Amino acid sequence: MTFRSLTLTTVTAAFLALSAAATAQAADADKVKLGFAKCAHCLPMALTPELAKGVEIEAINFNSGNDVLTALVSKSIDMAQVTYLHYITALDKGFDVVAVSGQVNGGSEIVVGKGITLKADDWDGLKKLIAERKEKGEPLRVAASRGNAQDIHMRGALQKHGINVNKDVQFINIPNPSDHAAALQRGEVDVICTVEPFASQIRQTGVGTHFALPYDQAAGNLTNLIVTRSDVIKEHPKAVEATVGSVVALVDKLKSDQTVWVDVINKYTGMDKAVAAEALKNASPDYAIHKDSTLAIATMMRELKYISNDVTAAAEKNLDYTFLEAVTKKPKSELGF
């Protein structure tokens, strides 16, 4: 082999190696690991891979939003469906999270167990019952999955009606929402704020009855957000935009056809399709990011001593409408800003 041919061979090999590396890098940039939780509103995220264009999405199911957030901040996944509550909590802890889209709101319900005879929305009756139990030394046992949207919805609603969860009742944390029905059935708790489709399951099986939808507080019915990290945005902006595009397509699909929604709930939870359909009566597909309500949630969570810092400035700064604007062709003033 002559020196010239050796040089050409070396250059060619180097070029091919660089090309291969560039191809591999491009392929990596087009792949996104997307985590989502197990609730009626979250499970449609399993449909995003088939709606994706320009990105390969690996949708990964977790038991709860807390698990999804942990996976995101530990860099096990690239993007996550969590809640507005998780977003604020993450900022309070100094984690790097950026909200890039909404998804579905609603899904919270307060139910009471057998033996608790309260009419729907009878808050005066609930306060009277709480006072009677306190006098007996048997505080009312109120449960939720601490850290989930239903927990903060309930705490805010109770506060609105003059009930302090930390002083007036005995709060019981049941981390996995799929355990709520059993806890109520066994009489281990009296009241639960749970998430769909488990709320519908509790009502339809007679384990508990409806008391209230806890939307009379700063968070309203806001629940789900799509978040990522700043390093993912910096290194893979097109993949983030394409993933937001699949979420927007999903929201549009859910608004027009709930059949696929019912099917995916049935697939992941094993629940009857009638229960799944009932759960969707308390659901609102929505890809907007609601800035003013987000800041109100941050303030409410601090007042409830759920977080220790004022994160309102960070909460506004880390709302990134860039991708929603690019996908929907709408200004952020029409996207919740």
Side-chain angles (χ1 to χ4, degrees), residues 43-235:
L43 290 172
M45 293 297 292
L47 304 173
T48 53
E50 62 190 68
L51 297 170
K53 295 179 180 178
V55 66
E56 182 182 336
I57 297 175
E58 180 184 355
I60 305 170
N61 188 213
F62 293 81
N63 276 334
S64 71
N66 290 334
D67 295 337
V68 181
L69 181 62
T70 299
L72 179 70
V73 299
S74 64
K75 300 190 176 183
S76 297
I77 59 176
D78 308 301
M79 298 181 71
Q81 166 272 308
V82 294
T83 67
Y84 281 77
L85 166 74
H86 290 109
Y87 174 66
I88 298 300
T89 302
L91 293 174
D92 181 58
K93 293 181 178 178
F95 294 144
D96 174 17
V97 291
V98 182
V100 293
S101 176
Q103 190 244 352
V104 178
N105 295 317
S108 300
E109 182 173 357
I110 300 176
V111 294
V112 297
K114 294 178 180 177
I116 304 295
T117 53
L118 286 172
K119 293 181 180 178
D121 298 308
D122 182 9
W123 290 96
D124 287 338
L126 178 61
K127 286 196 288 186
K128 180 181 177 183
L129 177 61
I130 290 172
E132 290 172 352
R133 289 289 193 89
K134 284 183 71 175
E135 191 172 333
K136 290 181 180 178
E138 301 172 355
L140 199 70
R141 297 160 299 174
V142 176
S145 297
R146 186 170 179 81
N148 283 359
Q150 290 65 48
D151 185 24
I152 195 70
H153 282 172
M154 177 194 71
R155 289 170 186 269
L158 293 183
Q159 182 189 48
K160 187 86 173 182
H161 291 280
I163 301 167
N164 187 323
V165 175
N166 298 319
K167 295 180 179 178
D168 298 330
V169 300
Q170 179 185 354
F171 177 76
I172 298 175
N173 178 31
I174 304 176
N176 192 335
S178 63
D179 295 331
H180 286 180
L184 204 60
Q185 187 170 32
R186 291 193 294 264
E188 296 171 358
V189 298
D190 303 301
V191 179
I192 287 183
C193 188
T194 190
V195 65
E196 295 289 3
F198 304 108
S200 290
Q201 181 192 36
I202 287 171
R203 281 187 283 101
Q204 293 201 342
T205 57
V207 171
T209 57
H210 167 80
F211 176 68
L213 299 179
Y215 301 145
D216 184 20
Q217 35 71 35
N221 75 337
L222 296 185
T223 47
N224 288 358
L225 270 179
I226 306 301
V227 299
T228 184
R229 302 184 309 271
S230 59
D231 63 293
V232 178
I233 291 176
K234 181 179 179 180
E235 295 170 14

Side-chain angles (χ1 to χ4, degrees), residues 267-329:
K267 176 182 177 181
Y268 278 86
T269 67
M271 286 188 184
D272 187 272
K273 290 187 177 182
V275 175
E278 178 69 16
L280 300 189
K281 295 177 181 177
N282 185 11
S284 304
D286 178 15
Y287 52 69
I289 309 171
H290 299 274
K291 184 197 70 175
D292 291 344
S293 295
T294 301
L295 305 185
I297 291 169
T299 299
M300 179 178 70
M301 289 176 66
R302 192 179 182 203
E303 290 174 352
L304 290 169
K305 302 188 184 305
Y306 214 95
I307 59 175
S308 54
N309 302 301
D310 180 0
V311 299
T312 51
E316 180 170 356
K317 180 183 176 183
N318 287 25
L319 299 179
D320 190 338
Y321 290 84
T322 306
F323 306 103
L324 269 181
E325 289 181 305
V327 170
T328 65
K329 310 303 181 189

